[in-house]
């Protein structure tokens, strides 16, 4: 038998896709894109988390968020409708509808804004927001990008035709995977730290009592998220001329930087195997144990 490595033949028709990953050309964008940051707070009602406060802030490159008044942050509180709507869940639904309608109006006026960030949208906030949109089927349609039970993106369209994008909602945690308070201390310390809220009082019966405190807490979270994303956007733009708004996750951002600035497809191409080649290679994959033993006694 020969010791020469076996050449795996590509089976089937020749694919039109490239056999290696191409490099990326420098982006022609001359400026960074504005975006929106948002947050939701929920109260426990009948053992279910029901949204009771929500808000957002429009963030534009070059702004000093520390000098901007809190009135730039738009907030909505479910209990503002307590006189007109007696049932809490209906008040919550009304609040989320007002929030969605306002977002649609803002992105329609601000033609350059199409991206909205929540910190932890892929799990907690995404469930709440998607539930709100399901009640508006017909007026809005949406499309999700899911992987391993995580929502990477929610694309929202007006009406039933998915032709013109209204806005897309993403998870800032997928770009900056750290606690919001830690990110704020590192990237925008002048905005202060994350506030506190007595979560044991986030119940329907306490909402009128802690309403102002809750909204102040919500506004600070939104301000911090805006500052964090603005600074991160500035850093990557100055170093690599890449706008984080154009990528969804940290890994895709890293790959874009590599392909644009460091990748040489002529000398060291990264090959894309065919299905037959991939199956052959995967037959050589073997599992293993990575155990940690902690003796005690």
């Amino acid at each position: 038998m020969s010791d020469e490595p076996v050449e795996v033949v590509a089976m089937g028709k020749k694919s039109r896709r490239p056999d290696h990953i191409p490099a990326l050309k420098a982006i022609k964008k001359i400026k960074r894109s504005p975006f929106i940051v948002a947050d939701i707070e929920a109260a426990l009602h009948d053992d279910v988390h029901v949204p009771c406060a929500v808000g957002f802030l429009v963030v534009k490159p070059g702004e000093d968020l520390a000098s901007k008044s809190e009135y730039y942050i738009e907030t909505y509180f479910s209990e503002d409708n307590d006189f007109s709507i007696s049932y809490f869940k209906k008040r919550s639904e009304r609040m989320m509808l007002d929030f969605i309608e306002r977002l649609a109006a803002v992105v329609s006026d601000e033609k350059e804004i199409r991206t909205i960030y929540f910190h932890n949208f892929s799990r907690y906030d995404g469930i709440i927001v998607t539930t709100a949109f399901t009640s508006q089927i017909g007026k809005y349609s949406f499309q999700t990008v899911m992987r391993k039970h995580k929502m990477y993106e929610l694309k929202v369209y007006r009406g039933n035709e998915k032709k013109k994008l209204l806005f897309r909602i993403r998870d800032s945690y997928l770009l900056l995977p750290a606690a919001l308070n830690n990110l704020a201390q590192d990237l925008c310390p002048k905005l202060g730290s994350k506030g506190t809220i007595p979560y044991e009082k986030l119940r329907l019966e306490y909402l009128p009592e802690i309403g102002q405190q809750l909204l102040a807490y919500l506004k600070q979270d939104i301000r911090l998220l805006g500052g964090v994303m603005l600074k991160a956007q500035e850093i990557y733009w100055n170093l690599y001329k890449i706008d984080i708004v154009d990528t969804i996750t940290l890994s895709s951002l890293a790959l874009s930087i590599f392909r644009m600035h460091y990748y040489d497809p002529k000398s060291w191409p990264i090959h894309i195997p065919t299905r037959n080649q991939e199956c052959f290679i995967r037959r050589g994959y073997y599992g293993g144990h990575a155990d940690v033993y902690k003796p005690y006694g």
Side-chain angles (χ1 to χ4, degrees), residues 43-62:
L44 195 63
H45 179 58
D46 294 337
D47 294 326
V48 176
H49 284 93
V50 181
C52 60
V54 63
F56 72 92
L57 171 66
V58 176
V59 181
K60 297 182 179 180

Side-chain angles (χ1 to χ4, degrees), residues 81-246:
N81 297 314
D82 62 345
F83 294 107
S84 58
I85 305 175
S86 59
Y87 188 43
F88 172 55
K89 288 187 176 181
K90 291 295 182 180
R91 295 198 297 270
S92 174
E93 291 173 3
R94 178 73 252 180
M95 177 197 72
M96 291 301 298
L97 177 58
D98 291 342
F99 171 68
I100 291 170
E101 289 289 320
R102 181 60 182 147
L103 283 180
V106 169
V107 298
S108 296
D109 294 337
E110 301 276 355
K111 302 298 182 181
E112 295 180 328
I113 299 179
R114 286 293 177 268
T115 306
I116 302 167
Y117 290 105
F118 285 80
H119 207 60
N120 197 25
F121 180 77
S122 59
R123 292 187 182 274
Y124 184 78
D125 293 336
I127 297 172
I128 294 175
V129 174
T130 306
T131 301
F133 275 109
T134 55
S135 67
Q136 298 299 311
I137 295 295
K139 190 170 186 177
Y140 299 100
S141 57
F142 60 90
Q143 185 177 22
T144 60
V145 178
M146 300 285 296
R147 186 183 180 190
K148 294 182 179 179
H149 307 292
K150 279 188 177 182
M151 188 182 303
Y152 281 68
E153 185 176 61
L154 177 69
K155 292 183 177 180
V156 179
Y157 307 83
R158 194 183 293 278
N160 290 321
E161 295 186 9
K162 297 179 180 178
K163 293 182 178 179
K164 189 173 181 180
L165 178 70
L166 190 58
F167 55 80
R168 53 182 174 250
I169 306 177
R170 292 176 177 170
D171 188 353
S172 56
Y173 190 87
L174 296 179
L175 276 171
L176 302 170
L180 181 58
N181 192 46
N182 295 339
L183 290 170
Q185 290 176 359
D186 291 337
L187 297 177
C188 52
K190 63 181 181 180
L191 292 180
S193 60
K194 186 178 171 69
T196 58
I197 191 76
Y199 280 100
E200 68 277 4
K201 287 194 172 184
L202 276 179
R203 295 178 175 274
L204 174 58
E205 57 268 28
Y206 296 115
L207 288 183
E209 174 188 336
I210 66 168
Q212 293 303 313
Q213 183 183 0
L214 179 62
L215 291 177
Y217 174 82
L218 176 70
K219 288 180 180 180
Q220 179 63 1
D221 273 7
I222 293 172
R223 182 185 289 107
L224 292 181
L225 181 56
V228 163
M229 295 301 293
L230 191 60
K231 186 61 178 180
Q233 184 189 46
E234 177 187 338
I235 291 172
Y236 283 107
W237 181 262
N238 290 339
L239 289 175
Y240 305 109
K241 283 295 181 286
I242 289 181
D243 193 346
I244 61 174
V245 174
D246 297 326

